[in-house]
Amino acid sequence: MGVKVLTISENILGANEDKARENQDRLDEHGILAVNIMSAPGAGKTSLILQTISKLKQKARIGVIEGDVASSIDANKVSEQGVATVQINTAGGCHLDASMIERALNNLPLGDIDLLLIENVGNLICPAEFALGEHKRVMLLSLPEGDDKPYKYPLMFTEADVVLINKIDLLPYLEFNLAAFRKAVTGLNPKAKILPVSCKTGEGLEDWFSWLVDAIGEGRQV
Amino acid sequence: MGVKVLTISENILGANEDKARENQDRLDEHGILAVNIMSAPGAGKTSLILQTISKLKQKARIGVIEGDVASSIDANKVSEQGVATVQINTAGGCHLDASMIERALNNLPLGDIDLLLIENVGNLICPAEFALGEHKRVMLLSLPEGDDKPYKYPLMFTEADVVLINKIDLLPYLEFNLAAFRKAVTGLNPKAKILPVSCKTGEGLEDWFSWLVDAIGEGRQV
């Protein structure tokens, strides 16, 4: 499947919240659950998306929007799995915004999608400030980033429905206090679900898939 | 030594380049070498600074500016080493800018500093766009972030004088192609010095210290 590449400069002054609501209405009309996946660079967003496609593509029709400053490396990997994929290049912008998502939606077969996975730009700061029209927000922390990140990047952790701790297979080789991390996240966001996973070994991913299938089900009941 | 915490909102429209030149003139008047250290969250900037203080504090009088969205965790760690430290909290801003550095310089004993280490906000995108008045730019890639990062965050790699590959002790546990990474960096920035290091085990850090001592020496000859 070919990859569409959109180069979109960020629209700082646009009415992002209004546009995000329009996007969500449009997604709801098509019965699509949209998930905004955020993390620092290299935490494993694309690996999570690839694992999710592999596991769930028989149960749900999946579409993917890939956000990057430059390149279409990730969209190419995803597209090879046979799902509808749009790459957004932000041309230096450090986050996706709702206008970018609108343009991506214009380039996706919305009638043929149940689950839309949106990979945000790798950045723990600004993506949390810009609603896209998503129904759920997922953030990945990569274990090597350290257990103090909720104190340094509080908004991202406050806004997440799910916090995945990825690369948990590296735990034996790192000093990472899981209890301290859980306490810090829960202090900011008592409702956040915290799931340790490894997109490399597959450890813990069943919990993620279950959460996602439940979220798709909830959307269908609305 | 007490830590000063400055909360500074980013100044998007300010004449950042002019302010950066003013900062550099001021640093030059005091014979201070300023190094802007940039990376994604959790790549090891603070660990690098702590190792550098430990090794070089007998050879050079060191000052540190810590940039974070929130918290003074890093400044507290650095200040315990007995060096002059200012924490900048950007209140949501995703990078330092020259005006923030000006205010930090106003709070540092410039007559007593030879080497000023500036830890930027953890972010691979925007920090590369904002000159601070620094003489050298250093970027850290953490090995677990993956070898494809130069393609996704090209500006950061293009602007760096030195690229440190940190957490090299994790190489046995990860799929990271060092040769491919070197090739990608060199393609963007043929002059960049690439140094694999581990701030945990100390591996490779002698090369970093040598580079830094040479850079201080160059500054003194000007």
PDB file of all heavy atoms in Angstrom, chain A residues 41-42 69 73-74 92 94 121-122 125-126 144-145 149 151-153 167 173 200, chain B residues 42 69 73-74 92 94 121-122 125-126 144-145 149 151-153 167 173 200:
ATOM      1  N   PRO A  41      11.284  10.675  21.975  1.00  0.00           N
ATOM      2  CA  PRO A  41      11.850   9.973  20.808  1.00  0.00           C
ATOM      3  C   PRO A  41      12.371   8.580  21.174  1.00  0.00           C
ATOM      4  O   PRO A  41      13.019   8.409  22.203  1.00  0.00           O
ATOM      5  CB  PRO A  41      13.015  10.877  20.398  1.00  0.00           C
ATOM      6  CG  PRO A  41      12.642  12.241  20.875  1.00  0.00           C
ATOM      7  CD  PRO A  41      11.921  11.997  22.170  1.00  0.00           C
ATOM      8  N   GLY A  42      12.060   7.631  20.325  1.00  0.00           N
ATOM      9  CA  GLY A  42      12.656   6.305  20.479  1.00  0.00           C
ATOM     10  C   GLY A  42      12.108   5.476  21.630  1.00  0.00           C
ATOM     11  O   GLY A  42      12.739   4.509  22.049  1.00  0.00           O
ATOM     12  N   VAL A  69       8.787  14.929  12.485  1.00  0.00           N
ATOM     13  CA  VAL A  69       9.381  16.167  11.973  1.00  0.00           C
ATOM     14  C   VAL A  69       9.789  15.971  10.514  1.00  0.00           C
ATOM     15  O   VAL A  69       9.542  16.820   9.663  1.00  0.00           O
ATOM     16  CB  VAL A  69      10.605  16.557  12.821  1.00  0.00           C
ATOM     17  CG1 VAL A  69      11.348  17.715  12.182  1.00  0.00           C
ATOM     18  CG2 VAL A  69      10.181  16.902  14.246  1.00  0.00           C
ATOM     19  N   ILE A  73       9.973   6.969   7.524  1.00  0.00           N
ATOM     20  CA  ILE A  73      10.475   5.649   7.942  1.00  0.00           C
ATOM     21  C   ILE A  73       9.371   4.846   8.624  1.00  0.00           C
ATOM     22  O   ILE A  73       9.144   3.676   8.317  1.00  0.00           O
ATOM     23  CB  ILE A  73      11.667   5.826   8.920  1.00  0.00           C
ATOM     24  CG1 ILE A  73      12.852   6.498   8.213  1.00  0.00           C
ATOM     25  CG2 ILE A  73      12.087   4.488   9.512  1.00  0.00           C
ATOM     26  CD1 ILE A  73      13.978   6.887   9.164  1.00  0.00           C
ATOM     27  N   ASP A  74       8.678   5.492   9.573  1.00  0.00           N
ATOM     28  CA  ASP A  74       7.677   4.768  10.363  1.00  0.00           C
ATOM     29  C   ASP A  74       6.465   4.403   9.513  1.00  0.00           C
ATOM     30  O   ASP A  74       5.952   3.285   9.601  1.00  0.00           O
ATOM     31  CB  ASP A  74       7.236   5.614  11.557  1.00  0.00           C
ATOM     32  CG  ASP A  74       8.362   5.786  12.574  1.00  0.00           C
ATOM     33  OD1 ASP A  74       9.350   5.023  12.502  1.00  0.00           O
ATOM     34  OD2 ASP A  74       8.247   6.669  13.427  1.00  0.00           O
ATOM     35  N   GLY A  92       9.547  20.632  11.124  1.00  0.00           N
ATOM     36  CA  GLY A  92      10.147  21.321  12.265  1.00  0.00           C
ATOM     37  C   GLY A  92       9.226  21.455  13.463  1.00  0.00           C
ATOM     38  O   GLY A  92       9.674  21.656  14.574  1.00  0.00           O
ATOM     39  N   CYS A  94       6.920  20.605  16.617  1.00  0.00           N
ATOM     40  CA  CYS A  94       7.251  19.626  17.653  1.00  0.00           C
ATOM     41  C   CYS A  94       6.042  18.851  18.164  1.00  0.00           C
ATOM     42  O   CYS A  94       6.130  18.177  19.179  1.00  0.00           O
ATOM     43  CB  CYS A  94       7.966  20.312  18.798  1.00  0.00           C
ATOM     44  SG  CYS A  94       6.987  21.591  19.592  1.00  0.00           S
ATOM     45  N   VAL A 121       4.389  13.227  17.296  1.00  0.00           N
ATOM     46  CA  VAL A 121       5.816  13.521  17.190  1.00  0.00           C
ATOM     47  C   VAL A 121       6.500  13.138  18.511  1.00  0.00           C
ATOM     48  O   VAL A 121       5.930  13.340  19.578  1.00  0.00           O
ATOM     49  CB  VAL A 121       6.018  15.031  16.906  1.00  0.00           C
ATOM     50  CG1 VAL A 121       7.501  15.380  16.849  1.00  0.00           C
ATOM     51  CG2 VAL A 121       5.327  15.414  15.603  1.00  0.00           C
ATOM     52  N   GLY A 122       7.692  12.599  18.437  1.00  0.00           N
ATOM     53  CA  GLY A 122       8.419  12.181  19.641  1.00  0.00           C
ATOM     54  C   GLY A 122       8.820  13.378  20.482  1.00  0.00           C
ATOM     55  O   GLY A 122       9.761  14.096  20.136  1.00  0.00           O
ATOM     56  N   ILE A 125       6.590  17.036  25.708  1.00  0.00           N
ATOM     57  CA  ILE A 125       6.084  18.322  26.194  1.00  0.00           C
ATOM     58  C   ILE A 125       4.844  18.748  25.398  1.00  0.00           C
ATOM     59  O   ILE A 125       3.724  18.540  25.822  1.00  0.00           O
ATOM     60  CB  ILE A 125       7.203  19.393  26.151  1.00  0.00           C
ATOM     61  CG1 ILE A 125       8.446  18.860  26.886  1.00  0.00           C
ATOM     62  CG2 ILE A 125       6.727  20.685  26.799  1.00  0.00           C
ATOM     63  CD1 ILE A 125       9.697  19.671  26.671  1.00  0.00           C
ATOM     64  N   CYS A 126       5.043  19.343  24.251  1.00  0.00           N
ATOM     65  CA  CYS A 126       3.953  20.026  23.538  1.00  0.00           C
ATOM     66  C   CYS A 126       2.809  19.129  23.053  1.00  0.00           C
ATOM     67  O   CYS A 126       1.663  19.584  23.028  1.00  0.00           O
ATOM     68  CB  CYS A 126       4.520  20.831  22.386  1.00  0.00           C
ATOM     69  SG  CYS A 126       5.821  21.957  22.940  1.00  0.00           S
ATOM     70  N   PRO A 144      14.541   3.129  30.042  1.00  0.00           N
ATOM     71  CA  PRO A 144      15.831   3.821  30.213  1.00  0.00           C
ATOM     72  C   PRO A 144      15.708   5.330  30.438  1.00  0.00           C
ATOM     73  O   PRO A 144      16.688   5.959  30.824  1.00  0.00           O
ATOM     74  CB  PRO A 144      16.559   3.530  28.887  1.00  0.00           C
ATOM     75  CG  PRO A 144      15.905   2.310  28.358  1.00  0.00           C
ATOM     76  CD  PRO A 144      14.474   2.394  28.787  1.00  0.00           C
ATOM     77  N   GLU A 145      14.542   5.907  30.210  1.00  0.00           N
ATOM     78  CA  GLU A 145      14.387   7.349  30.446  1.00  0.00           C
ATOM     79  C   GLU A 145      14.393   7.699  31.934  1.00  0.00           C
ATOM     80  O   GLU A 145      14.617   8.864  32.291  1.00  0.00           O
ATOM     81  CB  GLU A 145      13.080   7.859  29.809  1.00  0.00           C
ATOM     82  CG  GLU A 145      13.090   7.794  28.298  1.00  0.00           C
ATOM     83  CD  GLU A 145      11.706   7.989  27.695  1.00  0.00           C
ATOM     84  OE1 GLU A 145      10.824   8.569  28.357  1.00  0.00           O
ATOM     85  OE2 GLU A 145      11.498   7.523  26.566  1.00  0.00           O
ATOM     86  N   LYS A 149      10.586  10.981  35.448  1.00  0.00           N
ATOM     87  CA  LYS A 149       9.990  11.766  34.366  1.00  0.00           C
ATOM     88  C   LYS A 149       8.639  12.405  34.715  1.00  0.00           C
ATOM     89  O   LYS A 149       8.345  13.498  34.246  1.00  0.00           O
ATOM     90  CB  LYS A 149       9.888  10.929  33.073  1.00  0.00           C
ATOM     91  CG  LYS A 149      11.241  10.618  32.450  1.00  0.00           C
ATOM     92  CD  LYS A 149      11.984  11.864  32.059  1.00  0.00           C
ATOM     93  CE  LYS A 149      13.487  11.659  31.952  1.00  0.00           C
ATOM     94  NZ  LYS A 149      14.194  11.395  33.216  1.00  0.00           N
ATOM     95  N   TYR A 151       7.805  13.970  37.273  1.00  0.00           N
ATOM     96  CA  TYR A 151       8.053  15.258  37.929  1.00  0.00           C
ATOM     97  C   TYR A 151       8.520  16.312  36.935  1.00  0.00           C
ATOM     98  O   TYR A 151       8.283  17.499  37.113  1.00  0.00           O
ATOM     99  CB  TYR A 151       9.117  15.091  39.033  1.00  0.00           C
ATOM    100  CG  TYR A 151       8.687  14.132  40.102  1.00  0.00           C
ATOM    101  CD1 TYR A 151       9.266  12.871  40.205  1.00  0.00           C
ATOM    102  CD2 TYR A 151       7.667  14.462  40.993  1.00  0.00           C
ATOM    103  CE1 TYR A 151       8.857  11.969  41.180  1.00  0.00           C
ATOM    104  CE2 TYR A 151       7.252  13.568  41.967  1.00  0.00           C
ATOM    105  CZ  TYR A 151       7.851  12.327  42.049  1.00  0.00           C
ATOM    106  OH  TYR A 151       7.432  11.447  43.006  1.00  0.00           O
ATOM    107  N   LYS A 152       9.204  15.861  35.885  1.00  0.00           N
ATOM    108  CA  LYS A 152       9.778  16.813  34.931  1.00  0.00           C
ATOM    109  C   LYS A 152       8.834  17.155  33.774  1.00  0.00           C
ATOM    110  O   LYS A 152       8.973  18.201  33.162  1.00  0.00           O
ATOM    111  CB  LYS A 152      11.080  16.251  34.366  1.00  0.00           C
ATOM    112  CG  LYS A 152      12.164  16.126  35.420  1.00  0.00           C
ATOM    113  CD  LYS A 152      13.447  15.671  34.766  1.00  0.00           C
ATOM    114  CE  LYS A 152      14.563  15.566  35.759  1.00  0.00           C
ATOM    115  NZ  LYS A 152      15.760  14.996  35.121  1.00  0.00           N
ATOM    116  N   TYR A 153       7.940  16.232  33.460  1.00  0.00           N
ATOM    117  CA  TYR A 153       7.022  16.428  32.329  1.00  0.00           C
ATOM    118  C   TYR A 153       5.598  16.144  32.805  1.00  0.00           C
ATOM    119  O   TYR A 153       4.931  15.243  32.293  1.00  0.00           O
ATOM    120  CB  TYR A 153       7.412  15.500  31.168  1.00  0.00           C
ATOM    121  CG  TYR A 153       8.843  15.684  30.744  1.00  0.00           C
ATOM    122  CD1 TYR A 153       9.870  14.942  31.317  1.00  0.00           C
ATOM    123  CD2 TYR A 153       9.187  16.663  29.804  1.00  0.00           C
ATOM    124  CE1 TYR A 153      11.194  15.152  30.961  1.00  0.00           C
ATOM    125  CE2 TYR A 153      10.504  16.871  29.441  1.00  0.00           C
ATOM    126  CZ  TYR A 153      11.499  16.107  30.022  1.00  0.00           C
ATOM    127  OH  TYR A 153      12.807  16.314  29.669  1.00  0.00           O
ATOM    128  N   LYS A 167       9.920  -1.351  27.164  1.00  0.00           N
ATOM    129  CA  LYS A 167      11.296  -1.883  27.323  1.00  0.00           C
ATOM    130  C   LYS A 167      11.509  -2.426  28.730  1.00  0.00           C
ATOM    131  O   LYS A 167      12.607  -2.310  29.296  1.00  0.00           O
ATOM    132  CB  LYS A 167      12.343  -0.809  26.949  1.00  0.00           C
ATOM    133  CG  LYS A 167      12.056  -0.191  25.568  1.00  0.00           C
ATOM    134  CD  LYS A 167      13.176   0.643  25.010  1.00  0.00           C
ATOM    135  CE  LYS A 167      12.693   1.370  23.746  1.00  0.00           C
ATOM    136  NZ  LYS A 167      13.684   2.204  23.090  1.00  0.00           N
ATOM    137  N   TYR A 173      18.979  -4.393  33.885  1.00  0.00           N
ATOM    138  CA  TYR A 173      20.226  -3.687  33.557  1.00  0.00           C
ATOM    139  C   TYR A 173      20.185  -2.211  33.934  1.00  0.00           C
ATOM    140  O   TYR A 173      21.107  -1.454  33.625  1.00  0.00           O
ATOM    141  CB  TYR A 173      20.530  -3.821  32.060  1.00  0.00           C
ATOM    142  CG  TYR A 173      20.355  -5.227  31.562  1.00  0.00           C
ATOM    143  CD1 TYR A 173      19.345  -5.558  30.675  1.00  0.00           C
ATOM    144  CD2 TYR A 173      21.184  -6.248  32.038  1.00  0.00           C
ATOM    145  CE1 TYR A 173      19.155  -6.856  30.249  1.00  0.00           C
ATOM    146  CE2 TYR A 173      20.999  -7.559  31.621  1.00  0.00           C
ATOM    147  CZ  TYR A 173      19.985  -7.847  30.733  1.00  0.00           C
ATOM    148  OH  TYR A 173      19.798  -9.145  30.325  1.00  0.00           O
ATOM    149  N   LYS A 200       9.363  -5.619  22.450  1.00  0.00           N
ATOM    150  CA  LYS A 200      10.349  -6.525  21.863  1.00  0.00           C
ATOM    151  C   LYS A 200      10.019  -7.982  22.195  1.00  0.00           C
ATOM    152  O   LYS A 200       9.944  -8.822  21.306  1.00  0.00           O
ATOM    153  CB  LYS A 200      11.738  -6.158  22.393  1.00  0.00           C
ATOM    154  CG  LYS A 200      12.883  -6.939  21.792  1.00  0.00           C
ATOM    155  CD  LYS A 200      14.197  -6.410  22.336  1.00  0.00           C
ATOM    156  CE  LYS A 200      15.377  -7.253  21.872  1.00  0.00           C
ATOM    157  NZ  LYS A 200      16.615  -6.824  22.551  1.00  0.00           N
TER     158      LYS A 200
ATOM    159  N   GLY B  42      15.626  12.016  29.492  1.00  0.00           N
ATOM    160  CA  GLY B  42      16.193  10.810  30.090  1.00  0.00           C
ATOM    161  C   GLY B  42      17.379  10.221  29.358  1.00  0.00           C
ATOM    162  O   GLY B  42      17.731   9.065  29.577  1.00  0.00           O
ATOM    163  N   VAL B  69      11.022  21.864  32.169  1.00  0.00           N
ATOM    164  CA  VAL B  69       9.642  22.349  32.166  1.00  0.00           C
ATOM    165  C   VAL B  69       9.197  22.634  33.597  1.00  0.00           C
ATOM    166  O   VAL B  69       8.588  23.656  33.891  1.00  0.00           O
ATOM    167  CB  VAL B  69       8.709  21.297  31.517  1.00  0.00           C
ATOM    168  CG1 VAL B  69       7.254  21.701  31.688  1.00  0.00           C
ATOM    169  CG2 VAL B  69       9.046  21.120  30.049  1.00  0.00           C
ATOM    170  N   ILE B  73      14.798  19.042  40.374  1.00  0.00           N
ATOM    171  CA  ILE B  73      15.473  17.791  40.729  1.00  0.00           C
ATOM    172  C   ILE B  73      16.930  17.819  40.269  1.00  0.00           C
ATOM    173  O   ILE B  73      17.852  17.511  41.024  1.00  0.00           O
ATOM    174  CB  ILE B  73      14.754  16.586  40.060  1.00  0.00           C
ATOM    175  CG1 ILE B  73      13.327  16.445  40.597  1.00  0.00           C
ATOM    176  CG2 ILE B  73      15.540  15.302  40.254  1.00  0.00           C
ATOM    177  CD1 ILE B  73      12.490  15.401  39.853  1.00  0.00           C
ATOM    178  N   ASP B  74      17.136  18.218  39.010  1.00  0.00           N
ATOM    179  CA  ASP B  74      18.485  18.175  38.449  1.00  0.00           C
ATOM    180  C   ASP B  74      19.386  19.217  39.095  1.00  0.00           C
ATOM    181  O   ASP B  74      20.541  18.936  39.420  1.00  0.00           O
ATOM    182  CB  ASP B  74      18.436  18.386  36.932  1.00  0.00           C
ATOM    183  CG  ASP B  74      17.777  17.210  36.222  1.00  0.00           C
ATOM    184  OD1 ASP B  74      17.633  16.139  36.841  1.00  0.00           O
ATOM    185  OD2 ASP B  74      17.409  17.364  35.055  1.00  0.00           O
ATOM    186  N   GLY B  92       6.196  25.012  30.857  1.00  0.00           N
ATOM    187  CA  GLY B  92       5.543  24.432  29.689  1.00  0.00           C
ATOM    188  C   GLY B  92       6.329  24.602  28.399  1.00  0.00           C
ATOM    189  O   GLY B  92       6.105  23.870  27.449  1.00  0.00           O
ATOM    190  N   CYS B  94       9.162  24.324  25.598  1.00  0.00           N
ATOM    191  CA  CYS B  94       9.846  23.086  25.235  1.00  0.00           C
ATOM    192  C   CYS B  94      11.313  23.289  24.890  1.00  0.00           C
ATOM    193  O   CYS B  94      11.942  22.396  24.345  1.00  0.00           O
ATOM    194  CB  CYS B  94       9.103  22.424  24.085  1.00  0.00           C
ATOM    195  SG  CYS B  94       9.063  23.423  22.599  1.00  0.00           S
ATOM    196  N   VAL B 121      16.212  21.836  27.884  1.00  0.00           N
ATOM    197  CA  VAL B 121      15.016  21.038  28.143  1.00  0.00           C
ATOM    198  C   VAL B 121      15.099  19.739  27.329  1.00  0.00           C
ATOM    199  O   VAL B 121      15.572  19.750  26.194  1.00  0.00           O
ATOM    200  CB  VAL B 121      13.753  21.833  27.740  1.00  0.00           C
ATOM    201  CG1 VAL B 121      12.486  20.998  27.940  1.00  0.00           C
ATOM    202  CG2 VAL B 121      13.671  23.133  28.533  1.00  0.00           C
ATOM    203  N   GLY B 122      14.661  18.640  27.896  1.00  0.00           N
ATOM    204  CA  GLY B 122      14.708  17.349  27.207  1.00  0.00           C
ATOM    205  C   GLY B 122      13.786  17.315  26.007  1.00  0.00           C
ATOM    206  O   GLY B 122      12.566  17.197  26.154  1.00  0.00           O
ATOM    207  N   ILE B 125      13.817  18.435  19.332  1.00  0.00           N
ATOM    208  CA  ILE B 125      13.357  19.256  18.220  1.00  0.00           C
ATOM    209  C   ILE B 125      13.718  20.735  18.434  1.00  0.00           C
ATOM    210  O   ILE B 125      14.734  21.214  17.942  1.00  0.00           O
ATOM    211  CB  ILE B 125      11.836  19.073  17.991  1.00  0.00           C
ATOM    212  CG1 ILE B 125      11.518  17.570  17.864  1.00  0.00           C
ATOM    213  CG2 ILE B 125      11.374  19.813  16.746  1.00  0.00           C
ATOM    214  CD1 ILE B 125      10.053  17.218  17.953  1.00  0.00           C
ATOM    215  N   CYS B 126      12.925  21.453  19.207  1.00  0.00           N
ATOM    216  CA  CYS B 126      13.033  22.914  19.275  1.00  0.00           C
ATOM    217  C   CYS B 126      14.339  23.463  19.861  1.00  0.00           C
ATOM    218  O   CYS B 126      14.781  24.540  19.437  1.00  0.00           O
ATOM    219  CB  CYS B 126      11.840  23.484  20.007  1.00  0.00           C
ATOM    220  SG  CYS B 126      10.273  22.921  19.294  1.00  0.00           S
ATOM    221  N   PRO B 144      19.181   3.354  23.714  1.00  0.00           N
ATOM    222  CA  PRO B 144      17.854   2.740  23.516  1.00  0.00           C
ATOM    223  C   PRO B 144      16.921   3.535  22.604  1.00  0.00           C
ATOM    224  O   PRO B 144      15.892   3.011  22.189  1.00  0.00           O
ATOM    225  CB  PRO B 144      17.277   2.690  24.950  1.00  0.00           C
ATOM    226  CG  PRO B 144      18.473   2.720  25.849  1.00  0.00           C
ATOM    227  CD  PRO B 144      19.487   3.559  25.130  1.00  0.00           C
ATOM    228  N   GLU B 145      17.252   4.773  22.288  1.00  0.00           N
ATOM    229  CA  GLU B 145      16.394   5.553  21.386  1.00  0.00           C
ATOM    230  C   GLU B 145      16.455   5.052  19.945  1.00  0.00           C
ATOM    231  O   GLU B 145      15.556   5.367  19.149  1.00  0.00           O
ATOM    232  CB  GLU B 145      16.787   7.038  21.426  1.00  0.00           C
ATOM    233  CG  GLU B 145      16.488   7.702  22.758  1.00  0.00           C
ATOM    234  CD  GLU B 145      17.171   9.056  22.909  1.00  0.00           C
ATOM    235  OE1 GLU B 145      17.504   9.693  21.883  1.00  0.00           O
ATOM    236  OE2 GLU B 145      17.409   9.466  24.053  1.00  0.00           O
ATOM    237  N   LYS B 149      17.458   7.869  14.609  1.00  0.00           N
ATOM    238  CA  LYS B 149      17.090   9.212  15.054  1.00  0.00           C
ATOM    239  C   LYS B 149      17.636  10.352  14.174  1.00  0.00           C
ATOM    240  O   LYS B 149      16.952  11.374  14.012  1.00  0.00           O
ATOM    241  CB  LYS B 149      17.472   9.428  16.524  1.00  0.00           C
ATOM    242  CG  LYS B 149      16.630   8.587  17.488  1.00  0.00           C
ATOM    243  CD  LYS B 149      15.170   8.925  17.407  1.00  0.00           C
ATOM    244  CE  LYS B 149      14.249   7.812  17.892  1.00  0.00           C
ATOM    245  NZ  LYS B 149      14.239   6.575  17.084  1.00  0.00           N
ATOM    246  N   TYR B 151      17.611  10.606  11.062  1.00  0.00           N
ATOM    247  CA  TYR B 151      16.678  10.817   9.958  1.00  0.00           C
ATOM    248  C   TYR B 151      15.405  11.519  10.427  1.00  0.00           C
ATOM    249  O   TYR B 151      14.760  12.239   9.664  1.00  0.00           O
ATOM    250  CB  TYR B 151      16.308   9.477   9.310  1.00  0.00           C
ATOM    251  CG  TYR B 151      17.495   8.759   8.743  1.00  0.00           C
ATOM    252  CD1 TYR B 151      18.025   7.634   9.363  1.00  0.00           C
ATOM    253  CD2 TYR B 151      18.125   9.239   7.591  1.00  0.00           C
ATOM    254  CE1 TYR B 151      19.141   6.984   8.856  1.00  0.00           C
ATOM    255  CE2 TYR B 151      19.243   8.598   7.071  1.00  0.00           C
ATOM    256  CZ  TYR B 151      19.749   7.474   7.712  1.00  0.00           C
ATOM    257  OH  TYR B 151      20.848   6.837   7.208  1.00  0.00           O
ATOM    258  N   LYS B 152      15.043  11.275  11.686  1.00  0.00           N
ATOM    259  CA  LYS B 152      13.773  11.823  12.189  1.00  0.00           C
ATOM    260  C   LYS B 152      13.929  13.197  12.824  1.00  0.00           C
ATOM    261  O   LYS B 152      12.966  13.951  12.899  1.00  0.00           O
ATOM    262  CB  LYS B 152      13.180  10.851  13.204  1.00  0.00           C
ATOM    263  CG  LYS B 152      12.751   9.544  12.577  1.00  0.00           C
ATOM    264  CD  LYS B 152      12.069   8.696  13.612  1.00  0.00           C
ATOM    265  CE  LYS B 152      11.600   7.387  13.036  1.00  0.00           C
ATOM    266  NZ  LYS B 152      11.046   6.532  14.107  1.00  0.00           N
ATOM    267  N   TYR B 153      15.114  13.487  13.326  1.00  0.00           N
ATOM    268  CA  TYR B 153      15.364  14.766  14.023  1.00  0.00           C
ATOM    269  C   TYR B 153      16.628  15.400  13.442  1.00  0.00           C
ATOM    270  O   TYR B 153      17.612  15.624  14.145  1.00  0.00           O
ATOM    271  CB  TYR B 153      15.514  14.515  15.535  1.00  0.00           C
ATOM    272  CG  TYR B 153      14.321  13.792  16.111  1.00  0.00           C
ATOM    273  CD1 TYR B 153      14.282  12.405  16.174  1.00  0.00           C
ATOM    274  CD2 TYR B 153      13.207  14.508  16.544  1.00  0.00           C
ATOM    275  CE1 TYR B 153      13.166  11.739  16.663  1.00  0.00           C
ATOM    276  CE2 TYR B 153      12.084  13.855  17.036  1.00  0.00           C
ATOM    277  CZ  TYR B 153      12.072  12.474  17.091  1.00  0.00           C
ATOM    278  OH  TYR B 153      10.961  11.821  17.577  1.00  0.00           O
ATOM    279  N   LYS B 167      24.872   5.545  27.294  1.00  0.00           N
ATOM    280  CA  LYS B 167      24.341   4.222  27.694  1.00  0.00           C
ATOM    281  C   LYS B 167      24.883   3.123  26.769  1.00  0.00           C
ATOM    282  O   LYS B 167      24.181   2.148  26.463  1.00  0.00           O
ATOM    283  CB  LYS B 167      22.799   4.230  27.753  1.00  0.00           C
ATOM    284  CG  LYS B 167      22.257   5.405  28.579  1.00  0.00           C
ATOM    285  CD  LYS B 167      20.791   5.313  28.914  1.00  0.00           C
ATOM    286  CE  LYS B 167      20.348   6.636  29.550  1.00  0.00           C
ATOM    287  NZ  LYS B 167      18.946   6.676  29.958  1.00  0.00           N
ATOM    288  N   TYR B 173      22.308  -5.590  24.830  1.00  0.00           N
ATOM    289  CA  TYR B 173      20.892  -5.934  25.034  1.00  0.00           C
ATOM    290  C   TYR B 173      19.968  -5.280  24.009  1.00  0.00           C
ATOM    291  O   TYR B 173      18.751  -5.394  24.096  1.00  0.00           O
ATOM    292  CB  TYR B 173      20.470  -5.523  26.451  1.00  0.00           C
ATOM    293  CG  TYR B 173      21.480  -5.930  27.490  1.00  0.00           C
ATOM    294  CD1 TYR B 173      22.211  -4.978  28.191  1.00  0.00           C
ATOM    295  CD2 TYR B 173      21.735  -7.278  27.732  1.00  0.00           C
ATOM    296  CE1 TYR B 173      23.164  -5.355  29.112  1.00  0.00           C
ATOM    297  CE2 TYR B 173      22.692  -7.668  28.651  1.00  0.00           C
ATOM    298  CZ  TYR B 173      23.404  -6.700  29.342  1.00  0.00           C
ATOM    299  OH  TYR B 173      24.354  -7.076  30.245  1.00  0.00           O
ATOM    300  N   LYS B 200      27.243   5.828  33.203  1.00  0.00           N
ATOM    301  CA  LYS B 200      27.089   4.908  34.341  1.00  0.00           C
ATOM    302  C   LYS B 200      28.416   4.200  34.644  1.00  0.00           C
ATOM    303  O   LYS B 200      28.886   4.211  35.774  1.00  0.00           O
ATOM    304  CB  LYS B 200      26.007   3.877  34.002  1.00  0.00           C
ATOM    305  CG  LYS B 200      25.659   2.918  35.130  1.00  0.00           C
ATOM    306  CD  LYS B 200      24.509   2.017  34.684  1.00  0.00           C
ATOM    307  CE  LYS B 200      24.204   0.942  35.717  1.00  0.00           C
ATOM    308  NZ  LYS B 200      23.208  -0.016  35.186  1.00  0.00           N
TER     309      LYS B 200
END
